[in-house]
Structures are given as structure tokens and as C-alpha cells.
Amino acid sequence: MTDLDTFRSETRAWLETNCPPEMREPVQSEKDMCWGGRNWTFQSDAQRVWLERMVERGWTVPHWPRDYGGAGLSPAEAKVLKEEMARIGARSPLSSFGISMLGPALLKFGSDEQKKRFLPEIARGEIRWCQGYSEPGAGSDLAGLQTKAEAVSGEEGGDHWLVNGQKVWTSYADKADWIFCLVRTSSESKHSGISFLLFDMTTPGVSTKPILLISGNSPFCETFFDDVRVPKDQVVGEVNRGWDVAKYLLGHEREMIAGMGLGATDGTLGSILRPDDPFLRAEVAAFDVDALAFAAMSERFFEMFKAGEAHPASPSMMKYAGTELNKRRHELVMAAGGSDALEWDSERSSEGKAARDWLRTKANSIEGGTSEIQLNIVAKHILGLPGA
């Protein structure tokens, strides 16, 4: 038996003993996901116990170093853990932008003090983050952002940044504890005048306003900064070099969003829907072929990405393919469900879950950079097309 076989055997035994049965049920709605943070209220004892046990093992961030709350697993061991959790249908113990986006950026660009301060809290689910990237006048052209951070020094002003401006489409800003935010610290250069700043959402001058979506849910907010004072040591990386941090983080965000293409279950869509209509059955079969191909491509991409060997434009390719696939999945679910799938507010439809999920996917090809932006990046960097 190899070391990896031993690890799999021990992991399987631990999960069977420690994953509560309730945490092996499919996620039905937002409330089934644990986001953690200062104001989080656990939805059940099982949700709390599952997070605590996984935190103790370092398995909320299994590949992070032990010093920062991880388990220090190798990529092969982390893959085994993921497979064994999927085998029993275990839910993720923690959903966190800190884990999926900020953490990797801090590991690469953060100071020792920033890593020691923030990473263990992220791993334990004690701090919830939101992302301050998009602005009303700078969505697709992200580097055109205008939110300013001015350095203020001296006895009267202290030693801090003074932030003013507005962000938009800030996911869960009204529930987040802290924000990782792109701000303009110089107007001399579009890309070389941006800094990557961290600050507490309870800082005076920060306010949020939810944006209601067509699905009836509202994860997005407008976020406003009015003379927000931020300590100078909360810049990640170098001042005016935040675009480097932003691009690295965007790769991880697009990796996360691309994961939507894999779906929530291991089964094929055909095995779940079983439509009678032969034309719809053919469409579902074609989808399942594409989904299996995407899953195989994803496994190869994620391994290369974690090893730092993926092409810089690969996250854009995966983001485009994954989000388009997820939109097709939900179109087929609605088609197979017929008029019943359109129920909006009933116990039978789980409060309109199918319809709300379908409408939510309309944002997939916009959030995290539009499909058009991703295709331009692929055309320019992978296909080498002129003028892309």
C-alpha cells in the first residue's frame, strides 16, 4: 500500500466518523451554506460541528501551510480529500471569498504580518470578506477605476489612507466583515497607479445598499466610501502595484466561477432528469458529453494552475466554458420541468428553487469579467489573433 493509499484509507475513515449525516445532504439553498464571519449564525448544530471538526484538521484550507491554519497537504493528498468528500456527498464546511480569492493572493503578495494576522482567521471562518473591484464607470474596463486613496500623514492627520468613491456588484457587502479593495493611489498611469487595500467594513464612512436581482435574491450591493481612514500597513504588495495582485486574484476568482460548470452532483444530468421527449433527451445527452469533457479538462487545468504551470489566459478559457455550460444545464432543467418548473412560491417547488437558480445563471457570463472580455483574452494570449 502506498502512502497515498494509506492517506485515502485514513481520510475515508475519519470522514465516515466525523461528517454529520445532515452535512451529507445536497445543498438546497443559500442557508445550507456556511459563510462564517463575526455575525454568522449557524443554521444547525451539525453545521457548527462540521466546521469545527474540519478547522481542527486544517481541512477548510487543506493545501495551505500549517502555520496559517491549513493542513499542508500535497496536491495529490488534497485531491484525495476532495474525492472522498464527494464520495459521501459531504458539503463544503465553509464558503469563503477569503479562501477562494484573497487567501491565495495573501500567500503570494502579503507581508509576514498580514499572513499571520489574516490567514488563520480565514481558515477558521472567523472573518468574512467581500471584493471591492467593479465600479459604476469601470466594470469590464476594471483598470479604469476611480475610487481614490490619498496618503495622509502628520500629527493632525495621522498616518493612513483616506478612501473616497463607490463600488458596485459587491457580493455580500452588507454581510461582510472586511473588504479587499482596489483603489487609485496615482493618476499618472492607468495600471501602475492602483493599490490593493484591506479594511474593516465597520470603519466610519463605509455604507452599503443591496441591489435586487431578477431572481428575487440580492447577494449584490452598492458600496460607498466617504472619507474612510485606513492604516497604511493594510496595503497588500507594493503601493501602485496593486494591479499585479488584482490579476493574480482574478485568476483564482475565475477558477472558482468556472467550477459552476461541474454542477453540484457527480451524476449526469440525464440520470437526474430522464425526459420523455426524444429531442430533449438528445440535448441532455449532448450536454452530458460536453460536461464530462469539461470535467476532464478542469481536472488537468486545476492541477496545472495549482502548480503554477497553467497559461495566464487559461482561467479565462475555463471561466467562459464553465459559465456557458452552467447556463445550458439550467436551461435544460427548466425545459424538462415544463410549467411546473416555473412555480415561484410554493413548498412543492422549494420556494421556486429551479426558477430562481435558472435566473441566477444569467449573471454567470457577466460576473467575474464578461464572456466577451474572456474571449478577448483568449484570442489575444492563446490564439494570437491580431487586434484582439
Side-chain angles (χ1 to χ4, degrees):
M1 179 177 286
T2 65
D3 291 344
L4 202 59
D5 290 335
T6 301
F7 177 78
R8 182 183 294 278
S9 176
E10 293 174 351
T11 298
R12 180 173 297 187
W14 188 90
L15 289 172
E16 290 287 4
T17 301
N18 289 281
C19 182
E22 187 179 328
M23 293 295 102
R24 305 184 193 192
E25 297 294 327
V27 171
Q28 295 296 328
S29 66
E30 180 83 12
K31 67 181 180 60
D32 292 334
M33 301 166 66
C34 175
W35 287 92
R38 292 192 294 238
N39 301 312
W40 180 252
T41 300
F42 287 102
Q43 300 301 303
S44 66
D45 285 343
Q47 191 181 68
R48 176 183 55 77
V49 167
W50 181 222
L51 175 60
E52 289 175 351
R53 289 174 178 173
M54 291 291 275
V55 166
E56 188 175 3
R57 298 281 294 192
W59 283 359
T60 55
V61 283
H63 56 286
W64 285 13
R66 292 180 184 276
D67 288 346
Y68 303 137
L73 298 188
S74 68
E77 290 171 331
K79 182 182 176 184
V80 166
L81 172 60
K82 184 177 180 180
E83 291 171 348
E84 289 302 316
M85 288 180 65
R87 189 185 64 81
I88 63 171
R91 293 179 188 172
S92 172
L94 183 62
S95 299
S96 165
F97 294 157
I99 290 175
S100 58
M101 293 192 280
L102 178 61
L106 278 177
L107 284 167
K108 184 174 178 65
F109 294 97
S111 65
D112 288 342
E113 291 74 17
Q114 289 169 341
K115 291 176 185 177
K116 291 174 183 175
R117 177 180 178 185
F118 294 114
L119 291 176
E121 286 188 341
I122 292 172
R124 294 192 296 265
E126 295 173 352
I127 185 169
R128 184 171 181 176
W129 293 84
C130 62
Q131 179 192 51
Y133 270 29
S134 295
E135 296 186 5
S140 296
D141 183 19
L142 180 59
L145 63 90
Q146 295 299 315
T147 293
K148 291 183 180 178
E150 299 175 279
V152 178
S153 300
E155 293 183 1
E156 292 187 0
D159 194 20
H160 59 270
W161 298 100
L162 197 63
V163 181
N164 283 284
Q166 179 189 352
K167 298 292 178 178
V168 72
W169 308 119
T170 323
S171 301
Y172 305 108
D174 54 341
K175 298 178 176 61
D177 304 314
W178 279 63
I179 186 170
F180 47 93
C181 190
L182 292 181
V183 295
R184 182 156 297 286
T185 43
S186 171
S187 57
E188 294 184 2
S189 170
K190 184 175 181 180
H191 291 88
S192 299
I194 294 172
S195 297
F196 192 99
L197 197 59
L198 311 176
F199 54 95
D200 195 313
M201 290 292 283
T202 62
T203 308
V206 179
S207 61
T208 62
K209 179 182 178 183
I211 301 171
L212 187 62
L213 298 183
I214 191 174
S215 64
N217 298 318
S218 182
F220 299 120
C221 294
E222 293 179 280
T223 307
F224 304 91
F225 310 123
D226 184 13
D227 285 342
V228 180
R229 295 164 62 105
V230 180
K232 282 191 173 178
D233 63 358
Q234 289 174 195
V235 169
V236 177
E238 298 180 34
V239 174
N240 293 333
R241 296 296 302 272
W243 189 242
D244 296 337
V245 185
K247 286 192 298 180
Y248 184 78
L249 187 147
L250 279 173
H252 286 271
E253 181 186 22
R254 286 164 185 166
E255 173 196 0
M256 176 188 70
I257 296 174
M260 294 175 180
L262 299 174
T265 66
D266 288 338
T268 61
L269 196 58
S271 67
I272 298 170
L273 298 181
R274 300 181 183 281
D276 294 327
D277 181 277
F279 295 102
L280 183 56
R281 203 158 57 236
E283 286 189 52
V284 171
F287 171 86
D288 278 336
V289 170
D290 290 345
L292 289 169
F294 180 77
M297 186 171 68
S298 296
E299 187 167 340
R300 180 172 181 271
F301 161 72
F302 291 148
E303 288 185 0
M304 294 180 69
F305 191 71
K306 299 297 183 192
E309 298 173 352
H311 189 284
S314 295
S316 294
M317 182 177 68
M318 297 300 298
K319 197 270 181 181
Y320 174 79
T323 54
E324 293 299 321
L325 198 62
N326 197 42
K327 289 168 68 176
R328 275 178 63 194
R329 174 183 291 106
H330 285 272
E331 291 284 351
L332 291 169
V333 168
M334 294 300 290
S339 57
D340 287 351
L342 294 173
E343 285 190 3
W344 188 253
D345 188 13
S346 70
E347 186 174 346
R348 186 180 72 155
S349 68
S350 299
E351 306 301 322
K353 184 176 188 308
R356 292 176 191 275
D357 288 350
W358 168 62
L359 289 170
R360 177 63 182 83
T361 64
K362 303 301 180 186
N364 290 169
S365 49
I366 300 173
E367 59 197 342
T370 65
S371 285
E372 289 76 13
I373 291 292
Q374 308 311 316
L375 289 173
N376 274 344
I377 293 172
V378 171
K380 182 176 180 180
H381 293 289
I382 294 183
L383 301 178
L385 296 182

